[in-house]
PDB file of all heavy atoms in Angstrom:
ATOM      1  N   THR A  45       4.979  12.638  -3.441  1.00 96.00           N
ATOM      2  CA  THR A  45       6.277  11.992  -3.677  1.00 96.00           C
ATOM      3  C   THR A  45       6.553  11.741  -5.163  1.00 96.00           C
ATOM      4  O   THR A  45       7.417  10.937  -5.503  1.00 96.00           O
ATOM      5  CB  THR A  45       6.363  10.659  -2.908  1.00 96.00           C
ATOM      6  OG1 THR A  45       5.298   9.802  -3.329  1.00 96.00           O
ATOM      7  CG2 THR A  45       6.294  10.895  -1.401  1.00 96.00           C
ATOM      8  N   ILE A  46       5.840  12.446  -6.046  1.00 97.00           N
ATOM      9  CA  ILE A  46       6.034  12.225  -7.477  1.00 97.00           C
ATOM     10  C   ILE A  46       7.478  12.526  -7.881  1.00 97.00           C
ATOM     11  O   ILE A  46       8.055  11.828  -8.715  1.00 97.00           O
ATOM     12  CB  ILE A  46       5.023  13.033  -8.329  1.00 97.00           C
ATOM     13  CG1 ILE A  46       5.162  12.725  -9.824  1.00 97.00           C
ATOM     14  CG2 ILE A  46       5.144  14.521  -8.086  1.00 97.00           C
ATOM     15  CD1 ILE A  46       4.788  11.332 -10.229  1.00 97.00           C
ATOM     16  N   ARG A  47       8.107  13.501  -7.284  1.00 97.00           N
ATOM     17  CA  ARG A  47       9.489  13.827  -7.658  1.00 97.00           C
ATOM     18  C   ARG A  47      10.457  12.706  -7.281  1.00 97.00           C
ATOM     19  O   ARG A  47      11.458  12.494  -7.960  1.00 97.00           O
ATOM     20  CB  ARG A  47       9.915  15.152  -7.061  1.00 97.00           C
ATOM     21  CG  ARG A  47       9.209  16.315  -7.741  1.00 97.00           C
ATOM     22  CD  ARG A  47       9.934  17.622  -7.520  1.00 97.00           C
ATOM     23  NE  ARG A  47       9.273  18.694  -8.208  1.00 97.00           N
ATOM     24  CZ  ARG A  47       9.610  19.139  -9.408  1.00 97.00           C
ATOM     25  NH1 ARG A  47      10.601  18.580 -10.052  1.00 97.00           N
ATOM     26  NH2 ARG A  47       8.965  20.151  -9.954  1.00 97.00           N
ATOM     27  N   TYR A  48      10.176  11.994  -6.226  1.00 96.00           N
ATOM     28  CA  TYR A  48      10.998  10.824  -5.868  1.00 96.00           C
ATOM     29  C   TYR A  48      10.884   9.762  -6.965  1.00 96.00           C
ATOM     30  O   TYR A  48      11.881   9.189  -7.400  1.00 96.00           O
ATOM     31  CB  TYR A  48      10.570  10.249  -4.520  1.00 96.00           C
ATOM     32  CG  TYR A  48      11.276   8.970  -4.157  1.00 96.00           C
ATOM     33  CD1 TYR A  48      12.607   8.991  -3.744  1.00 96.00           C
ATOM     34  CD2 TYR A  48      10.629   7.750  -4.254  1.00 96.00           C
ATOM     35  CE1 TYR A  48      13.272   7.813  -3.430  1.00 96.00           C
ATOM     36  CE2 TYR A  48      11.280   6.572  -3.944  1.00 96.00           C
ATOM     37  CZ  TYR A  48      12.604   6.608  -3.527  1.00 96.00           C
ATOM     38  OH  TYR A  48      13.262   5.433  -3.222  1.00 96.00           O
ATOM     39  N   ALA A  49       9.670   9.532  -7.423  1.00 96.00           N
ATOM     40  CA  ALA A  49       9.456   8.561  -8.504  1.00 96.00           C
ATOM     41  C   ALA A  49      10.163   9.016  -9.778  1.00 96.00           C
ATOM     42  O   ALA A  49      10.803   8.216 -10.469  1.00 96.00           O
ATOM     43  CB  ALA A  49       7.969   8.377  -8.759  1.00 96.00           C
ATOM     44  N   ILE A  50      10.062  10.294 -10.078  1.00 97.00           N
ATOM     45  CA  ILE A  50      10.683  10.843 -11.284  1.00 97.00           C
ATOM     46  C   ILE A  50      12.203  10.715 -11.196  1.00 97.00           C
ATOM     47  O   ILE A  50      12.868  10.379 -12.184  1.00 97.00           O
ATOM     48  CB  ILE A  50      10.271  12.318 -11.478  1.00 97.00           C
ATOM     49  CG1 ILE A  50       8.762  12.438 -11.683  1.00 97.00           C
ATOM     50  CG2 ILE A  50      11.061  12.969 -12.600  1.00 97.00           C
ATOM     51  CD1 ILE A  50       8.176  11.666 -12.829  1.00 97.00           C
ATOM     52  N   ALA A  51      12.755  10.951 -10.025  1.00 97.00           N
ATOM     53  CA  ALA A  51      14.213  10.909  -9.844  1.00 97.00           C
ATOM     54  C   ALA A  51      14.807   9.534 -10.140  1.00 97.00           C
ATOM     55  O   ALA A  51      15.998   9.419 -10.442  1.00 97.00           O
ATOM     56  CB  ALA A  51      14.577  11.339  -8.426  1.00 97.00           C
ATOM     57  N   GLN A  52      13.983   8.501 -10.094  1.00 96.00           N
ATOM     58  CA  GLN A  52      14.487   7.152 -10.360  1.00 96.00           C
ATOM     59  C   GLN A  52      14.713   6.883 -11.845  1.00 96.00           C
ATOM     60  O   GLN A  52      15.362   5.908 -12.206  1.00 96.00           O
ATOM     61  CB  GLN A  52      13.522   6.116  -9.776  1.00 96.00           C
ATOM     62  CG  GLN A  52      13.442   6.206  -8.263  1.00 96.00           C
ATOM     63  CD  GLN A  52      12.464   5.219  -7.691  1.00 96.00           C
ATOM     64  OE1 GLN A  52      12.587   4.018  -7.927  1.00 96.00           O
ATOM     65  NE2 GLN A  52      11.488   5.711  -6.955  1.00 96.00           N
ATOM     66  N   ASP A  53      14.172   7.734 -12.705  1.00 96.00           N
ATOM     67  CA  ASP A  53      14.314   7.567 -14.160  1.00 96.00           C
ATOM     68  C   ASP A  53      13.969   6.155 -14.617  1.00 96.00           C
ATOM     69  O   ASP A  53      14.712   5.528 -15.386  1.00 96.00           O
ATOM     70  CB  ASP A  53      15.727   7.952 -14.625  1.00 96.00           C
ATOM     71  CG  ASP A  53      15.868   9.445 -14.858  1.00 96.00           C
ATOM     72  OD1 ASP A  53      14.841  10.141 -14.948  1.00 96.00           O
ATOM     73  OD2 ASP A  53      17.006   9.916 -14.972  1.00 96.00           O
ATOM     74  N   ASN A  54      12.828   5.660 -14.140  1.00 95.00           N
ATOM     75  CA  ASN A  54      12.391   4.323 -14.543  1.00 95.00           C
ATOM     76  C   ASN A  54      10.861   4.269 -14.580  1.00 95.00           C
ATOM     77  O   ASN A  54      10.200   5.298 -14.625  1.00 95.00           O
ATOM     78  CB  ASN A  54      12.984   3.252 -13.621  1.00 95.00           C
ATOM     79  CG  ASN A  54      12.520   3.357 -12.179  1.00 95.00           C
ATOM     80  OD1 ASN A  54      11.505   3.984 -11.870  1.00 95.00           O
ATOM     81  ND2 ASN A  54      13.253   2.746 -11.284  1.00 95.00           N
ATOM     82  N   ASN A  55      10.320   3.066 -14.520  1.00 95.00           N
ATOM     83  CA  ASN A  55       8.872   2.891 -14.643  1.00 95.00           C
ATOM     84  C   ASN A  55       8.081   3.432 -13.454  1.00 95.00           C
ATOM     85  O   ASN A  55       6.874   3.599 -13.564  1.00 95.00           O
ATOM     86  CB  ASN A  55       8.523   1.423 -14.908  1.00 95.00           C
ATOM     87  CG  ASN A  55       8.996   0.508 -13.807  1.00 95.00           C
ATOM     88  OD1 ASN A  55       8.892   0.830 -12.633  1.00 95.00           O
ATOM     89  ND2 ASN A  55       9.527  -0.637 -14.175  1.00 95.00           N
ATOM     90  N   HIS A  56       8.721   3.717 -12.342  1.00 96.00           N
ATOM     91  CA  HIS A  56       7.984   4.316 -11.222  1.00 96.00           C
ATOM     92  C   HIS A  56       7.428   5.673 -11.644  1.00 96.00           C
ATOM     93  O   HIS A  56       6.270   6.001 -11.362  1.00 96.00           O
ATOM     94  CB  HIS A  56       8.874   4.454  -9.983  1.00 96.00           C
ATOM     95  CG  HIS A  56       9.110   3.165  -9.283  1.00 96.00           C
ATOM     96  ND1 HIS A  56       8.556   2.875  -8.066  1.00 96.00           N
ATOM     97  CD2 HIS A  56       9.834   2.082  -9.637  1.00 96.00           C
ATOM     98  CE1 HIS A  56       8.933   1.660  -7.687  1.00 96.00           C
ATOM     99  NE2 HIS A  56       9.710   1.152  -8.631  1.00 96.00           N
ATOM    100  N   GLY A  57       8.235   6.464 -12.321  1.00 97.00           N
ATOM    101  CA  GLY A  57       7.791   7.785 -12.765  1.00 97.00           C
ATOM    102  C   GLY A  57       6.671   7.715 -13.781  1.00 97.00           C
ATOM    103  O   GLY A  57       5.720   8.510 -13.725  1.00 97.00           O
ATOM    104  N   THR A  58       6.749   6.757 -14.710  1.00 98.00           N
ATOM    105  CA  THR A  58       5.683   6.648 -15.710  1.00 98.00           C
ATOM    106  C   THR A  58       4.380   6.182 -15.062  1.00 98.00           C
ATOM    107  O   THR A  58       3.312   6.703 -15.364  1.00 98.00           O
ATOM    108  CB  THR A  58       6.093   5.718 -16.872  1.00 98.00           C
ATOM    109  OG1 THR A  58       6.431   4.428 -16.377  1.00 98.00           O
ATOM    110  CG2 THR A  58       7.255   6.293 -17.657  1.00 98.00           C
ATOM    111  N   SER A  59       4.484   5.224 -14.148  1.00 97.00           N
ATOM    112  CA  SER A  59       3.283   4.708 -13.480  1.00 97.00           C
ATOM    113  C   SER A  59       2.617   5.767 -12.614  1.00 97.00           C
ATOM    114  O   SER A  59       1.388   5.927 -12.634  1.00 97.00           O
ATOM    115  CB  SER A  59       3.629   3.497 -12.607  1.00 97.00           C
ATOM    116  OG  SER A  59       4.139   2.450 -13.375  1.00 97.00           O
ATOM    117  N   GLU A  60       3.419   6.499 -11.858  1.00 98.00           N
ATOM    118  CA  GLU A  60       2.850   7.482 -10.942  1.00 98.00           C
ATOM    119  C   GLU A  60       2.302   8.690 -11.687  1.00 98.00           C
ATOM    120  O   GLU A  60       1.246   9.217 -11.338  1.00 98.00           O
ATOM    121  CB  GLU A  60       3.870   7.851  -9.870  1.00 98.00           C
ATOM    122  CG  GLU A  60       4.149   6.640  -8.982  1.00 98.00           C
ATOM    123  CD  GLU A  60       5.108   6.874  -7.842  1.00 98.00           C
ATOM    124  OE1 GLU A  60       5.034   7.957  -7.206  1.00 98.00           O
ATOM    125  OE2 GLU A  60       5.926   5.971  -7.559  1.00 98.00           O
ATOM    126  N   ALA A  61       2.973   9.101 -12.760  1.00 98.00           N
ATOM    127  CA  ALA A  61       2.436  10.179 -13.595  1.00 98.00           C
ATOM    128  C   ALA A  61       1.119   9.743 -14.236  1.00 98.00           C
ATOM    129  O   ALA A  61       0.168  10.520 -14.311  1.00 98.00           O
ATOM    130  CB  ALA A  61       3.458  10.577 -14.659  1.00 98.00           C
ATOM    131  N   ALA A  62       1.068   8.496 -14.685  1.00 98.00           N
ATOM    132  CA  ALA A  62      -0.159   7.968 -15.294  1.00 98.00           C
ATOM    133  C   ALA A  62      -1.313   7.985 -14.303  1.00 98.00           C
ATOM    134  O   ALA A  62      -2.438   8.360 -14.654  1.00 98.00           O
ATOM    135  CB  ALA A  62       0.073   6.554 -15.818  1.00 98.00           C
ATOM    136  N   ALA A  63      -1.058   7.588 -13.070  1.00 98.00           N
ATOM    137  CA  ALA A  63      -2.124   7.579 -12.061  1.00 98.00           C
ATOM    138  C   ALA A  63      -2.623   8.989 -11.770  1.00 98.00           C
ATOM    139  O   ALA A  63      -3.838   9.203 -11.630  1.00 98.00           O
ATOM    140  CB  ALA A  63      -1.635   6.916 -10.781  1.00 98.00           C
ATOM    141  N   LEU A  64      -1.714   9.945 -11.688  1.00 98.00           N
ATOM    142  CA  LEU A  64      -2.137  11.323 -11.455  1.00 98.00           C
ATOM    143  C   LEU A  64      -2.980  11.833 -12.624  1.00 98.00           C
ATOM    144  O   LEU A  64      -3.987  12.516 -12.425  1.00 98.00           O
ATOM    145  CB  LEU A  64      -0.926  12.226 -11.230  1.00 98.00           C
ATOM    146  CG  LEU A  64      -0.190  12.030  -9.915  1.00 98.00           C
ATOM    147  CD1 LEU A  64       1.090  12.865  -9.884  1.00 98.00           C
ATOM    148  CD2 LEU A  64      -1.078  12.365  -8.718  1.00 98.00           C
ATOM    149  N   PHE A  65      -2.577  11.476 -13.843  1.00 98.00           N
ATOM    150  CA  PHE A  65      -3.327  11.904 -15.023  1.00 98.00           C
ATOM    151  C   PHE A  65      -4.701  11.236 -15.078  1.00 98.00           C
ATOM    152  O   PHE A  65      -5.729  11.910 -15.192  1.00 98.00           O
ATOM    153  CB  PHE A  65      -2.525  11.596 -16.294  1.00 98.00           C
ATOM    154  CG  PHE A  65      -3.251  11.932 -17.561  1.00 98.00           C
ATOM    155  CD1 PHE A  65      -3.374  13.250 -17.973  1.00 98.00           C
ATOM    156  CD2 PHE A  65      -3.830  10.937 -18.333  1.00 98.00           C
ATOM    157  CE1 PHE A  65      -4.057  13.572 -19.147  1.00 98.00           C
ATOM    158  CE2 PHE A  65      -4.507  11.238 -19.505  1.00 98.00           C
ATOM    159  CZ  PHE A  65      -4.627  12.566 -19.912  1.00 98.00           C
ATOM    160  N   VAL A  66      -4.715   9.925 -14.997  1.00 98.00           N
ATOM    161  CA  VAL A  66      -5.982   9.187 -15.090  1.00 98.00           C
ATOM    162  C   VAL A  66      -6.884   9.536 -13.911  1.00 98.00           C
ATOM    163  O   VAL A  66      -8.046   9.925 -14.092  1.00 98.00           O
ATOM    164  CB  VAL A  66      -5.729   7.664 -15.169  1.00 98.00           C
ATOM    165  CG1 VAL A  66      -7.021   6.881 -15.002  1.00 98.00           C
ATOM    166  CG2 VAL A  66      -5.036   7.301 -16.488  1.00 98.00           C
ATOM    167  N   GLY A  67      -6.370   9.393 -12.709  1.00 98.00           N
ATOM    168  CA  GLY A  67      -7.182   9.679 -11.528  1.00 98.00           C
ATOM    169  C   GLY A  67      -7.592  11.133 -11.438  1.00 98.00           C
ATOM    170  O   GLY A  67      -8.733  11.448 -11.083  1.00 98.00           O
ATOM    171  N   GLY A  68      -6.660  12.024 -11.778  1.00 98.00           N
ATOM    172  CA  GLY A  68      -6.966  13.453 -11.721  1.00 98.00           C
ATOM    173  C   GLY A  68      -8.037  13.861 -12.713  1.00 98.00           C
ATOM    174  O   GLY A  68      -8.961  14.606 -12.371  1.00 98.00           O
ATOM    175  N   THR A  69      -7.937  13.371 -13.955  1.00 98.00           N
ATOM    176  CA  THR A  69      -8.965  13.724 -14.942  1.00 98.00           C
ATOM    177  C   THR A  69     -10.312  13.119 -14.558  1.00 98.00           C
ATOM    178  O   THR A  69     -11.355  13.739 -14.773  1.00 98.00           O
ATOM    179  CB  THR A  69      -8.564  13.285 -16.366  1.00 98.00           C
ATOM    180  OG1 THR A  69      -8.310  11.877 -16.392  1.00 98.00           O
ATOM    181  CG2 THR A  69      -7.348  14.047 -16.851  1.00 98.00           C
ATOM    182  N   TRP A  70     -10.273  11.937 -13.975  1.00 98.00           N
ATOM    183  CA  TRP A  70     -11.511  11.283 -13.541  1.00 98.00           C
ATOM    184  C   TRP A  70     -12.177  12.087 -12.435  1.00 98.00           C
ATOM    185  O   TRP A  70     -13.366  12.420 -12.497  1.00 98.00           O
ATOM    186  CB  TRP A  70     -11.181   9.875 -13.075  1.00 98.00           C
ATOM    187  CG  TRP A  70     -12.341   8.933 -12.941  1.00 98.00           C
ATOM    188  CD1 TRP A  70     -13.632   9.124 -13.333  1.00 98.00           C
ATOM    189  CD2 TRP A  70     -12.290   7.618 -12.403  1.00 98.00           C
ATOM    190  NE1 TRP A  70     -14.392   8.012 -13.062  1.00 98.00           N
ATOM    191  CE2 TRP A  70     -13.589   7.071 -12.489  1.00 98.00           C
ATOM    192  CE3 TRP A  70     -11.276   6.852 -11.852  1.00 98.00           C
ATOM    193  CZ2 TRP A  70     -13.895   5.796 -12.027  1.00 98.00           C
ATOM    194  CZ3 TRP A  70     -11.574   5.579 -11.407  1.00 98.00           C
ATOM    195  CH2 TRP A  70     -12.866   5.054 -11.492  1.00 98.00           C
ATOM    196  N   LEU A  71     -11.410  12.422 -11.406  1.00 98.00           N
ATOM    197  CA  LEU A  71     -11.969  13.160 -10.275  1.00 98.00           C
ATOM    198  C   LEU A  71     -12.398  14.568 -10.669  1.00 98.00           C
ATOM    199  O   LEU A  71     -13.350  15.116 -10.093  1.00 98.00           O
ATOM    200  CB  LEU A  71     -10.953  13.216  -9.134  1.00 98.00           C
ATOM    201  CG  LEU A  71     -10.613  11.887  -8.455  1.00 98.00           C
ATOM    202  CD1 LEU A  71      -9.544  12.093  -7.398  1.00 98.00           C
ATOM    203  CD2 LEU A  71     -11.847  11.232  -7.858  1.00 98.00           C
ATOM    204  N   ALA A  72     -11.713  15.156 -11.645  1.00 98.00           N
ATOM    205  CA  ALA A  72     -12.077  16.508 -12.089  1.00 98.00           C
ATOM    206  C   ALA A  72     -13.500  16.528 -12.645  1.00 98.00           C
ATOM    207  O   ALA A  72     -14.219  17.531 -12.487  1.00 98.00           O
ATOM    208  CB  ALA A  72     -11.090  17.005 -13.144  1.00 98.00           C
ATOM    209  N   ASN A  73     -13.918  15.441 -13.257  1.00 96.00           N
ATOM    210  CA  ASN A  73     -15.286  15.352 -13.784  1.00 96.00           C
ATOM    211  C   ASN A  73     -16.340  15.422 -12.684  1.00 96.00           C
ATOM    212  O   ASN A  73     -17.511  15.670 -12.972  1.00 96.00           O
ATOM    213  CB  ASN A  73     -15.476  14.045 -14.567  1.00 96.00           C
ATOM    214  CG  ASN A  73     -14.681  14.021 -15.842  1.00 96.00           C
ATOM    215  OD1 ASN A  73     -14.364  15.051 -16.413  1.00 96.00           O
ATOM    216  ND2 ASN A  73     -14.328  12.826 -16.280  1.00 96.00           N
ATOM    217  N   PHE A  74     -15.918  15.200 -11.448  1.00 97.00           N
ATOM    218  CA  PHE A  74     -16.859  15.172 -10.325  1.00 97.00           C
ATOM    219  C   PHE A  74     -16.566  16.278  -9.311  1.00 97.00           C
ATOM    220  O   PHE A  74     -16.994  16.214  -8.159  1.00 97.00           O
ATOM    221  CB  PHE A  74     -16.848  13.782  -9.681  1.00 97.00           C
ATOM    222  CG  PHE A  74     -17.251  12.722 -10.672  1.00 97.00           C
ATOM    223  CD1 PHE A  74     -16.295  11.989 -11.342  1.00 97.00           C
ATOM    224  CD2 PHE A  74     -18.593  12.527 -10.993  1.00 97.00           C
ATOM    225  CE1 PHE A  74     -16.650  11.042 -12.296  1.00 97.00           C
ATOM    226  CE2 PHE A  74     -18.958  11.593 -11.951  1.00 97.00           C
ATOM    227  CZ  PHE A  74     -17.996  10.855 -12.605  1.00 97.00           C
ATOM    228  N   GLY A  75     -15.812  17.288  -9.757  1.00 96.00           N
ATOM    229  CA  GLY A  75     -15.634  18.494  -8.962  1.00 96.00           C
ATOM    230  C   GLY A  75     -14.670  18.403  -7.793  1.00 96.00           C
ATOM    231  O   GLY A  75     -14.725  19.251  -6.905  1.00 96.00           O
ATOM    232  N   VAL A  76     -13.800  17.425  -7.776  1.00 97.00           N
ATOM    233  CA  VAL A  76     -12.806  17.348  -6.696  1.00 97.00           C
ATOM    234  C   VAL A  76     -11.801  18.487  -6.893  1.00 97.00           C
ATOM    235  O   VAL A  76     -11.179  18.578  -7.959  1.00 97.00           O
ATOM    236  CB  VAL A  76     -12.108  15.970  -6.674  1.00 97.00           C
ATOM    237  CG1 VAL A  76     -10.990  15.938  -5.647  1.00 97.00           C
ATOM    238  CG2 VAL A  76     -13.140  14.874  -6.406  1.00 97.00           C
ATOM    239  N   PRO A  77     -11.659  19.363  -5.900  1.00 95.00           N
ATOM    240  CA  PRO A  77     -10.860  20.584  -6.081  1.00 95.00           C
ATOM    241  C   PRO A  77      -9.409  20.361  -6.554  1.00 95.00           C
ATOM    242  O   PRO A  77      -8.938  21.076  -7.423  1.00 95.00           O
ATOM    243  CB  PRO A  77     -10.869  21.238  -4.695  1.00 95.00           C
ATOM    244  CG  PRO A  77     -12.085  20.693  -4.023  1.00 95.00           C
ATOM    245  CD  PRO A  77     -12.282  19.302  -4.579  1.00 95.00           C
ATOM    246  N   GLU A  78      -8.702  19.393  -6.019  1.00 97.00           N
ATOM    247  CA  GLU A  78      -7.288  19.192  -6.363  1.00 97.00           C
ATOM    248  C   GLU A  78      -7.094  18.457  -7.683  1.00 97.00           C
ATOM    249  O   GLU A  78      -5.989  18.346  -8.192  1.00 97.00           O
ATOM    250  CB  GLU A  78      -6.578  18.361  -5.281  1.00 97.00           C
ATOM    251  CG  GLU A  78      -6.769  18.846  -3.870  1.00 97.00           C
ATOM    252  CD  GLU A  78      -7.895  18.108  -3.138  1.00 97.00           C
ATOM    253  OE1 GLU A  78      -9.000  17.933  -3.706  1.00 97.00           O
ATOM    254  OE2 GLU A  78      -7.680  17.706  -1.997  1.00 97.00           O
ATOM    255  N   ALA A  79      -8.165  17.938  -8.232  1.00 98.00           N
ATOM    256  CA  ALA A  79      -8.070  17.000  -9.344  1.00 98.00           C
ATOM    257  C   ALA A  79      -7.419  17.585 -10.592  1.00 98.00           C
ATOM    258  O   ALA A  79      -6.576  16.935 -11.218  1.00 98.00           O
ATOM    259  CB  ALA A  79      -9.453  16.452  -9.681  1.00 98.00           C
TER     260      ALA A  79
END
Side-chain angles (χ1 to χ4, degrees):
T45 59
I46 184 67
R47 289 200 178 264
Y48 174 74
I50 297 303
Q52 296 178 56
D53 276 345
N54 64 19
N55 60 41
H56 285 251
T58 57
S59 298
E60 294 182 40
L64 289 173
F65 177 76
V66 169
T69 57
W70 196 9
L71 293 177
N73 292 334
F74 300 97
V76 175
E78 309 96 313

